[in-house]
Amino acid sequence: MPENSIPDWQPGLYALPPGVDFAGEFVAGFLERMRGRPPEAVARVTIYANASRTLTAMQAAFDAQAKTGMLLPRMRIVTDLGTQGARGPLAAPLARRLQLARLIARLLETRPDLAAGHSVPALAHSLADLMTEMQTEGLDAQALERIDTGDHARHWQNALDFLRIAADFHLSGPLLDRAARQRADAETLVADWSQGRNLPADPVIVAGSTGSHGATRMFMQAVAGLPNGAVVLPGFDWDQPQAIWDGLDEAAQDHPQSRFAPLIRAAGAPRPWTAAQAPSPARNALVSLALRPAPVTDQWIAEGPSLPDLHAAAAGLTLIEADQPGQEAEAIALVMRKAAENDEEITLIAADSALIRRVVAALDRWHIRPDDSAGRPLPLTAPGLFLRQIAGLFGQPLTIDKLLILLKHPLTATGAGDETRNNARLQARELELRLRAHGPAFPDGAALRDWGTRGDAMRKPWAEWVAGLLDRIAAFASDTAPRPLPDRLADLRALAEALAAGPGGSPEDSELWREKPGRMALAVIEHLAAHAAEGPAMDPGDFAALLLDELGAQAIRGDADAHPLLRIRGPREARIFCHGHVILSGLNEGGWPQALTPDPWLSRQMRLAAGLTLPERVIGLAAHDFQQGIAARRVVLTRAKRNAEAETIPSRWLNRLTNLMAGLPERNGPDALEGMRKRGRDWLAMAEALARPEAPMA
């Protein structure tokens, strides 16, 4: 054991149960192990967390639990091992995607049937994700040679032929992707440590990661084997029998605990990191049995009667089954409002961005703004919508509605002073009345000039300005063929700045790029322009898809007016925030879990043959998030019975839970389930009563 290791340190695998405050309990266990050690010993420990938000939560826990000032350990993210800085510069992810898009575009020139229903940017994004997965799992282009295409349709054989070319280009280039560097760093550390070289002199701990990716799992296994290393797993199911653990193989990737199985086989069963108990051990046992790998009916019959009385398991559960999504959002908003009135922290876990927007709008009626970690998507901000609407002009005739949307946009004509802006709003309204009454259906420059000559001195210069814009836009109407990406970006930016400048104004004085959303949108445009030469020529549809994809990767975060007690988080953040009072929303199939995205490149059998994970891995990760969320002290489960198209299907996890409870009358399951539903109906009734009149907070 190295000289500076913690006394009586027991290396290996540790875990915390679902429902506990993971960051708080991790820090509590860490401080207990460091008790009596000098401050510099704490500072020499390195902690790798699964995400930056976990590190932030840990830092807050250190501040809350440290009785005196202390030095903090070194804290990093597990994907940034930082051991091989000399490997060279990283490839820009956007440049990689555009390079793959160029390859795909060339393929589609000869085989357009391979991309039915897919845009080139979407195919490039999915292919880049596949390349990243191959790098994370330590696979090179030769892994594709293990696939026997003899039993596959011709479509898959053609896709594989192209995939070999793309993989050879992408995986063998001089620049490293971030995933490739992480894998190389992990392999270097594992090789050194297995040979006794460069062993860390101070403790190393990995906390909060499930090992869902190959490189991360490899690193975690290596840390668990160090004489002063430890791995602390989140949301570990202590109720699961050993026989189930032994059966969690590649075919059970949709199980919530499946990602822990390889770690346990390599490092042994975990030990408790602290003595913390779940808020409701009875509920954890119920959920564990409900989520067993299929087939489950025989296990429910055999083990269900041995569960504790289900009234205790369901005591902190409420099930809201609304008729439609708007009603679901109203009920959620009311639950959050009541929590705020009671000075109680509450976290909404939501995977559906549309549901989040409904909840935020409902809370806004009471002037409440929750802390939404996802922020406001950049495509839904004023600059994002402005750019998308302009991109939609390419290759399409200009209609009255499209013209009026641009002329009435709040960013239009903001660079020419307040007087000109106000006049522009007035003239746009007058023009709308004229066009809707008399046309033409497809306005052009000549029509605007004619209308302008019939008006006063305020109308004529504005109409002349709009006419000049329409002359430029008319040239884009027939622009349906692929054109170089730098040219399309230049046209987009020039037209956007001309609209924002207004008559006699300038883009620099406009509000287009001024506020934070505008600055972020400009950064996206400039980032695209910097790498545009790497991409293929694009038609208007592919260009609009690429623009939306890049804008959609950004969001406006950090609302200074957010309520300190109300949080909205994504499912992946469940391991950090799912304790106390929690709402698990959108529990329908296709919502949570979300529908699997079809892989256009490899079938399930082909992925297995190549050594890649199955698509069900995503379901398993989502199931683990659900298992952690439902273990909180108080939980509200919500779903809508219908959406805009048809009746919905309850989430498979909710379905299993309610079916198991309904089948256990000897454990008071049906009564407990009815109690959950009654509490939900009460919330729906209160939300309905508050839906019409204004109801300010008490």
Side-chain angles (χ1 to χ4, degrees):
M1 182 178 295
E3 181 180 352
N4 292 324
S5 62
I6 298 174
D8 301 322
W9 177 268
Q10 294 184 352
L13 212 56
Y14 293 83
L16 287 166
V20 302
D21 177 359
F22 179 83
E25 285 300 322
F26 170 78
V27 169
F30 175 81
L31 293 177
E32 177 64 26
R33 286 164 173 78
M34 298 302 295
R35 181 182 297 176
R37 298 290 292 167
E40 61 271 19
V42 176
R44 288 197 296 264
V45 178
T46 301
I47 297 173
Y48 290 93
N50 63 299
S52 58
R53 193 169 289 277
T54 306
L55 291 182
T56 301
M58 288 180 180
Q59 290 167 347
F62 274 116
D63 292 340
Q65 296 185 34
K67 294 182 174 57
T68 59
M70 61 174 291
L71 296 174
L72 291 178
R74 292 172 294 206
M75 293 192 283
R76 299 175 178 171
I77 299 176
V78 74
T79 54
D80 185 16
L81 302 181
T83 60
Q84 299 295 322
R87 294 190 188 276
L90 288 174
L94 175 59
R96 288 296 222 186
R97 290 197 300 273
L98 291 176
Q99 291 164 2
L100 291 175
R102 184 184 290 271
L103 287 177
I104 293 170
R106 290 175 182 170
L107 169 69
L108 297 184
E109 289 176 359
T110 58
R111 293 297 308 275
D113 58 297
L114 291 179
H118 296 278
S119 68
V120 170
L123 287 170
H125 208 297
S126 66
L127 184 55
D129 289 343
L130 177 59
M131 295 294 103
T132 297
E133 184 182 355
M134 292 182 68
Q135 291 170 326
T136 302
E137 299 298 328
L139 303 175
D140 56 19
Q142 293 302 311
L144 301 175
E145 301 304 323
R146 298 199 290 262
I147 300 175
D148 181 8
T149 60
D151 295 332
H152 293 80
R154 184 64 185 170
H155 164 82
W156 292 115
Q157 297 178 30
N158 293 333
L160 182 60
D161 290 340
F162 169 74
L163 197 55
R164 291 190 178 103
I165 298 172
D168 186 64
F169 162 78
H170 192 91
L171 303 180
S172 305
L175 293 178
L176 279 178
D177 293 330
R178 185 174 297 278
R181 186 171 72 176
Q182 182 198 359
R183 181 75 189 199
D185 288 350
E187 289 176 345
T188 299
L189 289 172
V190 170
D192 285 350
W193 293 350
S194 64
Q195 299 297 320
R197 299 190 302 266
N198 301 322
L199 288 173
D202 302 298
V204 178
I205 306 173
V206 179
S209 178
T210 61
S212 58
H213 297 293
T216 303
R217 186 167 59 253
M218 173 189 293
F219 178 66
M220 291 168 68
Q221 291 174 355
V223 169
L226 289 173
N228 55 357
V231 173
V232 185
L233 303 177
F236 184 79
D237 186 356
W238 300 99
D239 296 293
Q240 188 160 264
Q242 186 60 43
I244 302 299
W245 284 110
D246 295 340
L248 289 181
D249 54 16
E250 290 299 316
Q253 292 190 25
D254 61 345
H255 188 268
Q257 301 286 308
S258 61
R259 306 317 301 167
F260 294 154
L263 295 169
I264 292 174
R265 284 193 284 269
R271 298 183 292 272
W273 180 250
T274 69
Q277 295 294 312
S280 176
R283 191 192 310 156
N284 281 11
L286 170 66
V287 173
S288 175
L289 180 56
L291 301 185
R292 292 278 181 86
V296 296
T297 306
D298 59 329
Q299 301 175 58
W300 289 359
I301 294 173
E303 301 181 38
S306 64
L307 289 172
D309 186 285
L310 295 188
H311 277 302
L317 290 178
T318 298
L319 176 55
I320 296 177
E321 296 178 294
D323 290 332
Q324 43 83 23
Q327 189 182 28
E328 179 186 9
E330 293 285 347
I332 291 171
L334 179 59
V335 173
M336 298 183 76
R337 171 189 162 174
K338 289 296 184 182
E341 291 176 349
N342 296 331
D343 291 328
E344 180 184 14
E345 287 188 347
I346 188 169
T347 303
L348 168 62
I349 303 294
D352 184 351
S353 58
L355 178 61
I356 292 175
R357 288 195 294 272
R358 287 191 178 100
V359 172
V360 171
L363 287 170
D364 190 56
R365 292 206 323 268
W366 302 308
H367 309 291
I368 302 173
R369 291 187 181 180
D371 175 18
D372 183 1
S373 66
R376 186 159 48 111
L378 186 57
L380 299 182
T381 63
L385 288 169
F386 195 57
L387 293 172
R388 291 167 58 194
Q389 288 156 358
I390 295 173
L393 298 175
F394 300 135
Q396 300 288 333
L398 181 66
T399 63
I400 293 175
D401 288 341
K402 289 182 179 180
L403 174 61
L404 293 175
I405 286 173
L406 288 175
L407 295 181
K408 296 167 69 174
H409 195 282
L411 293 178
T412 298
T414 55
D418 291 340
E419 183 178 350
T420 301
R421 182 196 311 194
N422 294 335
N423 178 58
R425 299 290 179 267
L426 175 63
Q427 299 302 329
R429 174 169 174 76
E430 294 295 328
L431 178 61
E432 178 178 11
L433 295 175
R434 169 71 184 185
L435 290 176
R436 296 206 182 279
H438 304 287
F442 301 98
D444 57 16
L448 261 292
R449 290 185 179 93
D450 179 68
W451 176 75
T453 59
R454 301 171 187 271
D456 55 21
M458 300 291 288
R459 176 186 296 179
K460 187 174 181 179
W462 181 84
E464 188 64 35
W465 171 73
V466 175
L469 290 174
L470 294 187
D471 291 340
R472 296 171 61 177
I473 294 172
F476 297 138
S478 58
D479 181 20
T480 58
R483 284 203 297 126
L485 184 55
D487 294 348
R488 289 208 175 275
L489 277 169
D491 290 340
L492 173 74
R493 180 170 180 175
L495 188 53
E497 290 182 341
L499 275 163
S506 68
E508 293 77 14
D509 294 330
S510 75
E511 297 178 3
L512 177 59
W513 313 125
R514 183 174 299 172
E515 301 297 331
K516 184 176 181 180
R519 293 193 296 271
M520 292 181 66
L522 179 60
V524 169
I525 295 297
E526 292 180 339
H527 185 56
L528 270 169
H531 299 289
E534 303 285 348
M538 289 189 178
D539 62 30
D542 282 347
F543 174 68
L546 175 65
L547 178 66
L548 179 59
D549 197 31
E550 294 305 308
L551 290 173
Q554 306 296 324
I556 310 299
R557 298 182 176 89
D559 188 347
D561 297 328
H563 198 290
L565 299 176
L566 308 185
R567 298 183 294 244
I568 299 179
R569 299 290 183 261
R572 291 293 181 89
E573 297 169 287
R575 70 193 65 173
I576 302 302
F577 294 101
C578 273
H579 55 272
H581 196 176
V582 173
I583 304 171
L584 305 184
S585 65
L587 288 171
N588 285 326
E589 285 295 305
W592 193 17
Q594 295 182 331
L596 292 175
T597 303
D599 187 344
W601 305 107
L602 294 173
S603 68
R604 289 170 51 86
Q605 293 79 10
M606 295 166 76
R607 291 181 67 87
L608 278 177
L612 293 164
T613 58
L614 291 176
E616 284 75 12
R617 178 182 69 92
V618 178
I619 301 294
L621 293 173
H624 188 236
D625 299 333
F626 173 80
Q627 187 176 24
Q628 292 179 101
I630 200 173
R633 176 175 52 84
R634 291 175 59 196
V635 182
V636 179
L637 309 168
T638 78
R639 62 175 292 261
K641 298 177 183 178
R642 290 187 60 88
N643 57 25
E645 290 82 26
E647 291 186 3
T648 57
I649 300 173
S651 167
R652 63 193 68 186
W653 313 311
L654 181 59
N655 222 5
R656 283 189 174 203
L657 180 66
T658 55
N659 287 339
L660 175 57
M661 294 179 70
L664 292 173
E666 67 274 24
R667 310 311 300 158
N668 293 315
D671 291 342
L673 179 58
E674 176 55 27
M676 292 166 50
R677 286 183 164 137
K678 182 183 182 304
R679 291 189 286 273
R681 290 193 295 269
D682 291 342
W683 280 111
L684 287 171
M686 287 188 288
E688 184 177 358
L690 288 172
R692 292 187 180 88
E694 287 295 326
M697 282 189 61

